[in-house]
Amino acid sequence: METSRRADAQTKGLEERIALLEAERDCRELLARYGFYADHGLSDEWVDLYTEDAVMDFWYFEDDEYFDDEMQPRDVDLRTLSLPLKNGRFVGRKELFDCINAPRHLRIIDRAQHQMDGHASIFRLMDDETAVIVSNSLVVARSEGHHAPVVQYQNYCLNRWTFRRVDGRWLIAENLRRPMGSGGASELLAGI
């Protein structure tokens, strides 16, 4: 009897560890798809990674005023360039579709690389239906005006991704993104 209980406990423990590993794998794959779809202008596929009520909340630089078409600062002296941050909040798949098809993103299609689950990241399975990843992200793009691989930095941020399992499939429920050095990054680590 004792052996049977011990075997049941070990089996349950293994099942829980496998579930944790599978959840982490599935959520990290979502982030890989996020980047790949964004890089190649696959808008419908990108939006399908999200729940119906998903939220994407990020700060970004107002680039129409401060960057030219090549994403180069309009001001020559980078030390004196003061870039204001704007809050972009998109709720639901319709607004997310508008976000991914905005001119600021369309101009880097097929020449950008989104790395959404960077080297240092934290994964937490909060319960059977919710998971969180806190990770760095980096977006770079090849300059449109050069045939050689001149790469331009686009952004470097800290992200808090919340995933929710819907009908047995993990989806992105929320992405909070703050530029490194913006002062807003610490809030993303709360409760982790």
Side-chain angles (χ1 to χ4, degrees):
M1 186 70 132
E2 182 63 33
T3 304
S4 176
R5 270 187 255 163
R6 197 172 326 141
D8 288 346
Q10 287 176 335
T11 300
K12 183 178 180 189
L14 284 172
E15 289 171 351
E16 289 171 355
R17 289 168 46 195
I18 290 169
L20 174 68
L21 291 170
E22 287 178 343
E24 182 173 4
R25 178 205 60 206
D26 293 348
C27 292
R28 290 193 189 281
E29 183 177 331
L30 277 175
L31 296 185
R33 289 178 184 279
Y34 173 108
F36 184 83
Y37 295 158
D39 292 343
H40 299 288
L42 300 170
S43 304
D44 292 328
E45 292 87 343
W46 185 84
V47 170
D48 285 342
L49 299 175
Y50 290 88
T51 62
E52 292 291 335
D53 61 345
V55 173
M56 178 181 252
D57 182 315
F58 57 91
W59 299 353
Y60 59 90
F61 299 119
E62 182 54 58
D63 57 84
D64 289 342
E65 294 177 35
Y66 294 94
F67 294 95
D68 64 19
D69 288 339
E70 288 291 311
M71 293 300 289
Q72 295 299 314
R74 293 189 188 280
D75 191 313
V76 176
D77 186 357
L78 296 177
R79 294 168 299 178
T80 62
L81 187 60
S82 176
L83 297 172
L85 291 168
K86 296 257 182 159
N87 188 8
R89 184 172 175 85
F90 305 90
V91 180
R93 286 184 171 176
K94 163 74 172 84
E95 289 186 15
L96 289 168
F97 187 84
D98 293 342
C99 172
I100 196 69
N101 286 294
R104 74 182 358 258
H105 181 257
L106 292 178
R107 69 182 177 199
I108 63 170
I109 295 294
D110 287 330
R111 58 188 185 88
Q113 183 180 60
H114 289 69
Q115 298 175 14
M116 305 316 294
D117 187 17
H119 54 281
S121 62
I122 300 167
F123 175 83
R124 294 287 184 268
L125 185 60
M126 308 309 273
D127 56 46
D128 290 341
E129 305 299 320
T130 310
V132 172
I133 290 179
V134 176
S135 68
N136 298 330
S137 65
L138 173 67
V139 179
V140 295
R142 183 182 52 79
S143 174
E144 196 169 41
H146 298 87
H147 296 290
V150 176
V151 175
Q152 300 170 342
Y153 163 85
Q154 299 291 308
N155 66 60
Y156 180 51
C157 299
L158 183 66
N159 296 262
R160 181 182 179 114
W161 303 89
T162 301
F163 302 89
R164 188 167 55 225
R165 195 186 323 248
V166 178
D167 297 328
R169 179 178 169 224
W170 287 102
L171 296 171
I172 301 167
E174 182 178 58
N175 174 224
L176 304 176
R177 182 177 304 167
R178 303 293 181 258
M180 293 299 202
S182 68
S186 61
E187 71 182 277
L188 307 185
L189 296 170
I192 294 299

